[in-house]
Amino acid sequence: MPNSRNLLIVGTGNVANALARRFSATDHVVHIGSRDAGRGAEAADRHGVKGGLAADLVQHAEVVFIAVPFTALDDTLEALGSLEGKVVVDCTNPLTDDYMALTLGHSTSAGEVCQAKLPGVPVVKAFNAIFADVVDSDPTYGGIRPQVFLAGDNAGAKETVAELVRAINYDPVDSGAMLSARYLEPLAELIIQMAYVQGEGTRITPVILRSDA
């Protein structure tokens, strides 16, 4: 596999915990952090990784996953400080408090907002359109592996994230430039609607099937 990387997962919610658990089973070095050192340490203990205050862990991280509510993005980035030289993975979705609608769309996206706040830092949109329950439980879909859709303007950063996706035995799907986050975030809302309103449950996941022809 590719060389081991130092990963920092920022957040202690469902997505952050699912990512920490999956990556803890790889050869990558995993940290999980929060703006609350106690919550970060508690999450780390749960997954057998290192953790605590995110701002104390970010210095040596090569890849930083932002797995917090979109409404916390500004405070999270401010607390982390400089992210120069790192790849940032934006896992956020701009959701209303009840998760039943998006707060951004058409002309921008959470991914584009995150990139604008980090000029010069490559940001990749990923893990926003897959439920934490899928990442955490590793269900099967008739031999088809879950897919993780990627969007970003830096090809090298996208390949770095694609390698990480492959490390957890999922398939990365390059969805284009960061502009495509405008479409990946509504996709996330669609599967939320399917899971909760239509009663399909949180182990559903979107899949792109490619023809051999």
Side-chain angles (χ1 to χ4, degrees), residues 33-164:
S34 169
R35 285 181 289 160
D36 181 311
R39 292 179 66 180
E42 180 182 355
D45 288 344
R46 192 179 310 130
H47 304 295
V49 300
K50 300 177 181 179
L53 191 67
D56 291 342
L57 301 169
V58 72
Q59 180 180 0
H60 300 294
E62 299 170 75
V63 182
V64 179
F65 292 79
I66 306 297
V68 300
F70 177 65
T71 52
L73 180 64
D74 284 353
D75 289 343
T76 298
L77 294 181
E78 182 178 356
L80 289 174
S82 175
L83 296 173
E84 184 179 355
K86 307 179 190 305
V87 172
V88 172
V89 183
D90 170 37
C91 308
T92 70
N93 283 306
L95 302 173
T96 55
D97 289 344
D98 63 0
Y99 299 170
M100 291 294 104
L102 297 175
T103 60
L104 292 176
H106 300 295
S107 60
T108 191
S109 63
E112 289 168 281
V113 169
C114 185
Q115 180 64 87
K117 291 179 181 298
L118 297 171
V121 175
V123 177
V124 178
K125 188 80 186 184
F127 291 102
N128 77 296
I130 185 170
F131 278 116
D133 199 22
V134 174
V135 177
D136 197 44
S137 59
D138 200 20
T140 58
Y141 299 92
I144 299 173
R145 292 187 294 184
Q147 295 175 340
V148 177
F149 298 92
L150 313 179
D153 298 328
N154 185 296
K158 278 198 290 187
E159 181 53 35
T160 293
V161 178
E163 289 174 359
L164 294 174

Side-chain angles (χ1 to χ4, degrees), residues 209-213:
L209 295 178
R210 298 181 174 90
S211 171
D212 293 333

